[in-house]
Structures are given as structure tokens and as C-alpha cells.
Amino acid sequence: MKKLSALSVILALLWVANLSTVLAQQTFSVSNVAEMKVSGTSTLHDWDMVAENGVAGQAVMKVEDGKIAEIQSLNFALETKALKSGKSSMDKNAYEAINADDFPKITFQLTQVEQLTESTVKAKGKLNIGGNSRDIVLNVNYSVKGNSVVFSGKQDITFEQFSLEPPTAVFGTIKTGNELSLSFNTTYSMKN
């Protein structure tokens, strides 16, 4: 009987310890996008495509004393056709280049937090563009504001890295450069 009672106490303590870990982590979702931009070059001019909507994401994090203590998971998805340059012909060429009809979302899924400080996160994850997924390492700044976390940063990638051909226009006389720069400033707020 004493063995059963001791085992019950140990199991109860493990359950409480596990429950407190789960309760300490909060779920967040994208609540605001101050910037979501793709920038590049071409033989004609530099260009930007900006998304003012079409961004969603979730994160499970532990925030303590105005900083992130732990990130269990984080993802975001951007509707590809939410990216706009202000020029419909350029948008059309870009959507074709990244197979937007077949792959309507650009996604990022965190796989590992490599470093976490009071204001930065070095995170490894899978970025999927045009149906091609690649591991990337992001160096991201963050700040905690009340029940929200603002992430911002910039990441350089290439079309080639994602097995995509840079778009061209006017029968190939205008060519987009292979290099791209992704800039973001996104707020994740705690879900009630």
C-alpha cells in the first residue's frame, strides 16, 4: 500500500510540474504587420513588393520580465498575391516566377532557436517559396510591448536558392537580379 501511495505522489508531482510548464507558455498570433517587403534589382531599376495584408501566424512562447524566455513554436504564412509592386505587369511576372497559382502562400516554420538574448533571436527554420523549401537562419530583433512581441529583421536570399528562375519582361530584355531581400516588422499578440 505504501508503494502505491508513494507512486501516486510521484506521478501527481510530475503531472503538476508538466502542467505548470504548459501553463507558463502563451499562444500568440499575428495581430499587425508594419512591414512585409521583398526587394530586388533588375536591368531597368530596383523594385519593392509590399504586402499590407494576407499575413497570418502563430507562436507558442514564454515571455517573462519584458523578454522572451522560450519559443516553443513559431510560424507565419504570407499570401503570395498580397505582395504588390504598384505595377500589375511586374506583379504578374513575379507571381509566375514563384508559381503563385500552384503555391499561393510563402511560409516559414521555426525548427530550432539557436540563440536567444534580451533583444534578439537567432532562429533556424524552413522557408517555403514556390513549393521549394529551404533551411535558413534568421537573425531577428524583438521587443516586448505589453502582451505583444514585435519581431523585425531582414534576410537575403536568391531565386536560385529556391530553384526558381528570376522573372523577365519585354521578351527577356528586362531581367530581374537573382538576389532578393526580405524585410519584416510583425507583431504577435497573446491570444485570450
Side-chain angles (χ1 to χ4, degrees):
M1 186 70 164
K2 284 185 178 181
K3 286 183 181 180
L4 182 59
S5 179
L7 181 60
S8 297
V9 169
I10 290 170
L11 289 174
L13 289 173
L14 289 172
W15 182 79
V16 168
N18 188 40
L19 181 62
S20 66
T21 300
V22 170
L23 291 175
Q25 296 176 350
Q26 299 98 8
T27 302
F28 295 74
S29 60
V30 170
S31 60
N32 184 46
V33 178
E35 179 178 56
M36 187 65 63
K37 180 170 67 172
V38 178
S39 302
T41 62
S42 75
T43 52
L44 189 59
H45 56 75
D46 292 352
W47 54 268
D48 296 319
M49 294 184 78
V50 177
E52 295 180 356
N53 54 42
V55 179
Q58 299 262 345
V60 176
M61 300 182 282
K62 183 176 178 183
V63 177
E64 293 177 339
D65 302 322
K67 64 183 182 212
I68 298 173
E70 178 185 355
I71 303 175
Q72 180 180 336
S73 65
L74 185 142
N75 65 63
F76 78 79
L78 166 64
E79 292 175 20
T80 307
K81 291 187 177 179
L83 287 166
K84 306 281 184 195
S85 69
K87 298 175 182 155
S88 61
S89 61
M90 181 181 162
D91 294 348
K92 181 183 173 198
N93 288 337
Y95 301 153
E96 286 176 11
I98 60 175
N99 305 315
D101 288 336
D102 294 329
F103 303 98
K105 292 187 180 185
I106 295 169
T107 61
F108 175 80
Q109 178 70 49
L110 176 75
T111 56
Q112 179 183 357
V113 174
E114 295 187 348
Q115 185 178 18
L116 184 58
T117 72
E118 292 184 5
S119 61
T120 63
V121 180
K122 183 177 182 181
K124 185 176 183 182
K126 292 206 174 288
L127 180 62
N128 189 306
I129 301 174
N132 299 293
S133 183
R134 300 292 181 262
D135 289 325
I136 64 167
V137 176
L138 292 171
N139 291 298
V140 180
N141 298 312
Y142 80 85
S143 60
V144 175
K145 297 181 179 180
N147 289 332
S148 299
V149 180
V150 179
F151 293 100
S152 62
K154 186 176 177 181
Q155 179 69 34
D156 294 329
I157 62 169
T158 65
F159 280 103
E160 182 179 50
Q161 184 179 355
F162 288 86
S163 302
L164 299 169
E165 290 289 326
T168 61
V170 193
F171 306 107
T173 59
I174 300 173
K175 298 179 181 180
T176 301
N178 187 40
E179 295 79 22
L180 298 170
S181 182
L182 312 176
S183 304
F184 57 91
N185 185 313
T186 307
T187 303
Y188 283 71
S189 295
M190 195 183 307
K191 293 171 85 174
N192 295 329

